[in-house]
């Protein structure tokens, strides 16, 4: 098997390919502001070990400075262009090799190439801040080609920007009862899947964090997106193998030889 995917919850995954460990949007906290982790333990200590960590955009549940500070010294960290100016705390992270990237940029890490691709999402550091950083997805190419979407909505050139991939890690929900502009719910994620056409997919970004005190408000938005995505994907992209993982679970999807 060419690639192994571990989903730690929310948008945090480890992609192991060609001897390189790639970590996406590291978030190790039990609580983040008004959000509480309701399902699954925080990522195992082994998750903090990566050759390169990818940050898709500046929102605090994707660029979480306390979690980044726990990464092993020497970890390569790829962040959106302009992130160090927008988030000064990035400059104070000890021992990390921070590189800013924009759509189209490629970075070589060992035997893996990471290519930044566009995402349709608000790239600001909320709740305040100018919109000066792009939101990104990433395509990790080693023995396989793995697309990590970060947070994104549907846009016309999505499939062209991503290109041909073997595995897609797609967000299918959020962390609250309502999804705003620039997100994929289970149905829209299935449409994106049909457009991209990978061999395998893993739904992420759901069923992990939820606002404190809102447990009874639209609880299906917390519990249902993974199963609903699998159902919709079977209808729209039946040739794609969907792997619905539990927190901390890994899969080695079949990919092209």
């Amino acid at each position: 098997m060419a690639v192994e995917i571990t989903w730690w919850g929310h948008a945090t995954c480890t992609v192991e390919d060609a001897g390189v460990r790639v970590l996406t949007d590291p978030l190790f906290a039990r609580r983040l502001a008004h959000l509480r982790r309701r399902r699954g333990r925080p990522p195992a200590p082994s998750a903090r070990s990566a050759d390169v960590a990818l940050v898709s955009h500046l929102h605090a549940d994707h660029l979480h400075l306390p979690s980044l500070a726990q990464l092993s010294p020497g970890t390569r960290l790829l962040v959106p262009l302009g992130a160090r100016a927008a988030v000064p705390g990035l400059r104070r992270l000890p021992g990390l090799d921070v590189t800013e990237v924009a759509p189209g940029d490629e970075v070589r890490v060992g035997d893996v190439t990471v290519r930044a691709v566009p995402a349709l999402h608000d790239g600001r550091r909320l709740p305040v801040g100018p919109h000066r950083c792009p939101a990104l997805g990433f395509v990790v190419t080693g023995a396989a080609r793995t697309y990590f979407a970060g947070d994104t909505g549907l846009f016309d050139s999505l499939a062209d920007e991503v290109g041909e991939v073997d595995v897609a890690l797609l967000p299918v929900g959020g962390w609250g009862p309502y999804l705003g502009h620039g997100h994929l719910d289970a149905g829209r994620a299935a449409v994106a899947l049909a457009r991209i056409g990978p061999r395998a997919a893993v739904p992420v970004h759901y069923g992990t964090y939820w606002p404190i005190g809102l447990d009874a408000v639209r609880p299906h938005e917390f519990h249902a997106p993974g199963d609903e995505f699998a159902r919709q994907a079977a209808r729209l992209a039946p040739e794609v193998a969907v792997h619905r993982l539990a927190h901390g679970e890994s899969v080695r999807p079949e990919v092209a030889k």
Side-chain angles (χ1 to χ4, degrees), residues 204-218:
V204 302
H205 203 284
Y206 76 99
T208 307
Y209 292 91
W210 201 250
I212 294 170
L214 294 186
D215 291 13
V217 179
R218 296 174 64 85

Side-chain angles (χ1 to χ4, degrees), residues 71-165:
L71 298 179
S72 301
T75 302
R76 190 84 178 267
L77 180 64
L78 306 189
V79 298
L81 184 67
R84 280 178 288 198
V87 187
L90 278 171
R91 306 176 209 164
R92 297 189 291 271
L93 291 175
L96 300 185
D97 180 5
V98 181
T99 301
E100 296 187 354
V101 293
D105 289 346
E106 294 187 353
V107 176
R108 188 75 176 174
V109 182
D111 290 330
V112 158
T113 298
V114 180
R115 174 169 56 94
V117 298
L120 178 63
H121 194 68
D122 186 344
R124 293 174 295 173
R125 182 68 164 180
L126 299 177
V128 295
H131 194 162
R132 53 181 166 183
C133 295
L136 304 173
F138 297 93
V139 176
V140 178
T141 301
R145 295 156 298 187
T146 302
Y147 169 50
F148 167 65
D151 255 348
T152 189
L154 281 172
F155 56 96
D156 290 342
S157 62
L158 174 63
D160 291 335
E161 297 287 358
V162 172
E164 186 176 349
V165 293

Side-chain angles (χ1 to χ4, degrees), residues 13-249:
C13 301
T14 296
V15 179
E16 296 189 58
D17 190 341
V20 176
R21 288 174 58 90
V22 181
L23 181 65
T24 67
D25 286 349
L27 183 56
F28 305 143
R30 292 185 179 275
R31 179 174 175 177
L32 173 63
H34 65 298
L35 304 179
R36 180 180 69 241
R37 189 176 181 113
R38 288 189 56 204
R39 180 183 290 166
R41 296 180 179 179
S46 61
R48 292 151 176 75
S49 176
D51 298 292
V52 60
L54 313 178
V55 171
S56 63
H57 61 287
L58 304 192
H59 293 174
D61 59 323
H62 293 259
L63 194 167
H64 186 243
L65 289 171
S67 294
L68 294 178
Q70 297 179 48
L71 298 179
S72 301
T75 302
R76 190 84 178 267
L77 180 64
L78 306 189
V79 298
L81 184 67
R84 280 178 288 198
V87 187
L90 278 171
R91 306 176 209 164
R92 297 189 291 271
L93 291 175
L96 300 185
D97 180 5
V98 181
T99 301
E100 296 187 354
V101 293
D105 289 346
E106 294 187 353
V107 176
R108 188 75 176 174
V109 182
D111 290 330
V112 158
T113 298
V114 180
R115 174 169 56 94
V117 298
L120 178 63
H121 194 68
D122 186 344
R124 293 174 295 173
R125 182 68 164 180
L126 299 177
V128 295
H131 194 162
R132 53 181 166 183
C133 295
L136 304 173
F138 297 93
V139 176
V140 178
T141 301
R145 295 156 298 187
T146 302
Y147 169 50
F148 167 65
D151 255 348
T152 189
L154 281 172
F155 56 96
D156 290 342
S157 62
L158 174 63
D160 291 335
E161 297 287 358
V162 172
E164 186 176 349
V165 293
D166 299 296
V167 185
L169 311 180
L170 293 177
V172 302
W175 50 252
Y178 305 99
L179 283 174
H181 177 70
H183 293 86
L184 296 177
D185 62 8
R188 292 192 293 274
V191 172
L193 185 71
R195 292 183 184 178
I196 298 166
R199 293 175 61 89
V202 176
V204 302
H205 203 284
Y206 76 99
T208 307
Y209 292 91
W210 201 250
I212 294 170
L214 294 186
D215 291 13
V217 179
R218 296 174 64 85
H220 63 283
E221 298 290 356
F222 179 85
H223 294 286
D227 288 337
E228 179 63 14
F229 171 73
R231 187 182 73 81
Q232 296 273 7
R235 180 175 63 88
L236 296 178
E239 71 285 356
V240 180
V242 173
H243 301 278
R244 188 190 175 294
L245 302 180
H247 293 82
E249 189 176 4

